[in-house]
Amino acid sequence: MSGMEPLTWASFLGSWRLAPIWLAVCVVLAGGYLLLRLRGRGRSTVRPWRVASFVLGCAILWVCIASGIGAYAMSVFWMHMVLHLTLIMVVPILLVLGHPITVALESAPADRQSRARRIVASRPVGLLTHPAAGLAIYTLVIVGTHLTGFMDQMAMTPWLMTGEQVLYVVAGYLFFLPLLGEEPLHSDPGYLLRLVLFLIAMLPDTVVGIVLLQTTRNPFPMMMAMHPQWAPPALDDIHAAGGLMWAAGDGLMMFAAVGLMISVVTSPAKRERMTGTWLDAVRRGVIATEVGADPKEQLDPDSDEAHEAYNRMLQRLAGDQDKRS
């Protein structure tokens, strides 16, 4: 870190490196994805823009490691925060939108697809890909790497930084997979719940950002002691990183939530799944009871008969309220 030139636009743009291991990983990921997509192209439901999204995610993963972002991440803490946000939010979102699980399933021979889909939708896999698990992992990673002594340990152990980068991509992918993905998973939460989880996920970003923004002591003495002389003062650097985590982290999360909401508004099929299967089943059961039908039978909750039953129920509830008052 001491050999790095002062951070300027010229030094930032001129600090590219090959990062061969990360380049190989990204090439294998993108190449394998494209190969599977070509193998199942005759029956693939994954649109070209999703393919481009996955490839772009792999490209950005390598760029943020090989460019000035990765080069200066250990010299300036706020640049380290840029790396964090890119790895845990931008890259995973692009990878999830590529629907890699669907691509892999559709590339399999027809006689093996059903078994593969059962495995993906199984309960053990469902536990890992459940929205609650993704939220918990995301929160633990954000809090554990910023509000503990992890940063000092990483500064002293070079391989730990690579592990951190992998952890960020995996944690981000597991969080965004059940929220933005339309993969054939065991858990398929309603879009209202997905939006709520996006709002909840803003909490760890906000807490970490505010703590770093308002701290009056250096929480990473070992890491900051290794920074070059031209780097900003430790507290100024940490405060800038905290503000970045708070503003950019919440901003990216809100951007993803708005994108999801737009996709729901423009898709009739998604609007029907707004409340999720459980609440929808409750609604169907109530309507079936009102019309005297069997709740186990298929009943269209948007039919004229269902609307009339719903109006009768509202009138009855209004009448009961008038009697009590």
Side-chain angles (χ1 to χ4, degrees):
M1 290 186 290
S2 59
M4 296 295 297
E5 298 180 6
L7 179 58
T8 62
W9 279 111
S11 62
F12 177 80
L13 296 175
S15 58
W16 283 80
R17 50 186 176 159
L18 185 60
I21 295 179
W22 278 106
L23 178 60
V25 169
C26 293
V27 169
V28 169
L29 283 175
Y33 176 91
L34 292 174
L35 181 62
L36 293 175
R37 176 64 169 75
L38 288 174
R39 183 183 297 175
R41 60 185 174 184
R43 53 185 179 273
S44 179
T45 60
V46 178
R47 299 179 181 179
W49 73 266
R50 292 191 179 277
V51 176
S53 174
F54 189 90
V55 174
L56 179 61
C58 293
I60 292 179
L61 174 58
W62 176 75
V63 165
C64 72
I65 300 294
S67 68
I69 298 176
Y72 281 95
M74 293 301 291
S75 297
V76 185
F77 188 58
W78 67 261
M79 187 66 77
H80 198 87
M81 192 64 74
V82 172
L83 180 68
H84 281 185
L85 293 174
T86 304
L87 292 178
I88 203 169
M89 300 188 77
V90 178
V91 170
I93 287 175
L94 292 172
L95 297 180
V96 166
L97 292 178
H99 282 185
I101 297 176
T102 300
V103 168
L105 290 174
E106 293 178 342
S107 68
D111 57 338
R112 297 181 182 178
Q113 274 199 31
S114 58
R115 184 184 176 208
R117 290 181 181 275
R118 285 197 300 271
I119 293 175
V120 170
S122 65
R123 189 172 296 276
V125 177
L127 292 175
L128 182 62
T129 59
H130 194 277
L135 177 61
I137 293 172
Y138 179 88
T139 301
L140 288 174
V141 169
I142 289 292
V143 175
T145 56
H146 292 99
L147 300 185
T148 66
F150 178 84
M151 289 295 172
D152 281 343
Q153 293 299 319
M154 182 191 62
M156 303 290 291
T157 312
W159 64 264
L160 201 55
M161 182 174 184
T162 302
E164 176 202 45
Q165 294 164 352
V166 174
L167 180 64
Y168 268 65
V169 175
V170 172
Y173 183 83
L174 291 176
F175 171 70
F176 289 108
L177 175 61
L179 303 186
L180 293 179
E182 301 295 336
E183 306 271 38
L185 302 175
H186 179 79
S187 177
D188 185 22
Y191 290 96
L192 182 60
L193 177 59
R194 299 187 192 200
L195 293 171
V196 171
L197 289 174
F198 270 120
L199 296 177
I200 296 175
M202 294 171 66
L203 184 60
D205 295 331
T206 301
V207 170
V208 170
I210 292 177
V211 170
L212 295 179
L213 187 61
Q214 295 186 345
T215 184
T216 57
R217 65 176 185 85
N218 179 5
F220 317 119
M222 294 182 183
M223 182 180 183
M224 291 300 172
M226 299 172 65
H227 280 192
Q229 293 183 351
W230 53 261
L235 281 179
D236 292 345
D237 197 6
I238 292 170
H239 291 165
L244 191 62
M245 167 62 83
W246 186 8
D250 286 357
L252 287 170
M253 197 69 74
M254 184 61 68
F255 180 81
V258 170
L260 176 64
M261 194 65 228
I262 292 174
S263 71
V264 172
V265 171
T266 57
S267 171
K270 290 183 178 181
R271 289 201 300 271
E272 292 180 357
R273 296 165 51 202
M274 188 66 183
T275 57
T277 56
W278 182 79
L279 286 177
D280 187 62
V282 172
R283 183 168 71 109
R284 289 175 181 270
V286 171
I287 293 176
T289 301
E290 287 295 321
V291 300
D294 185 354
K296 297 182 180 180
E297 296 181 358
Q298 292 294 330
L299 178 67
D300 182 7
D302 296 320
S303 64
D304 293 338
E305 185 181 15
H307 287 164
E308 292 176 1
Y310 183 71
N311 291 332
R312 289 198 301 271
M313 181 179 66
L314 292 179
Q315 291 175 359
R316 186 176 67 254
L317 292 175
D320 293 342
Q321 182 65 28
D322 292 340
K323 291 179 180 178
R324 286 194 295 268
S325 59

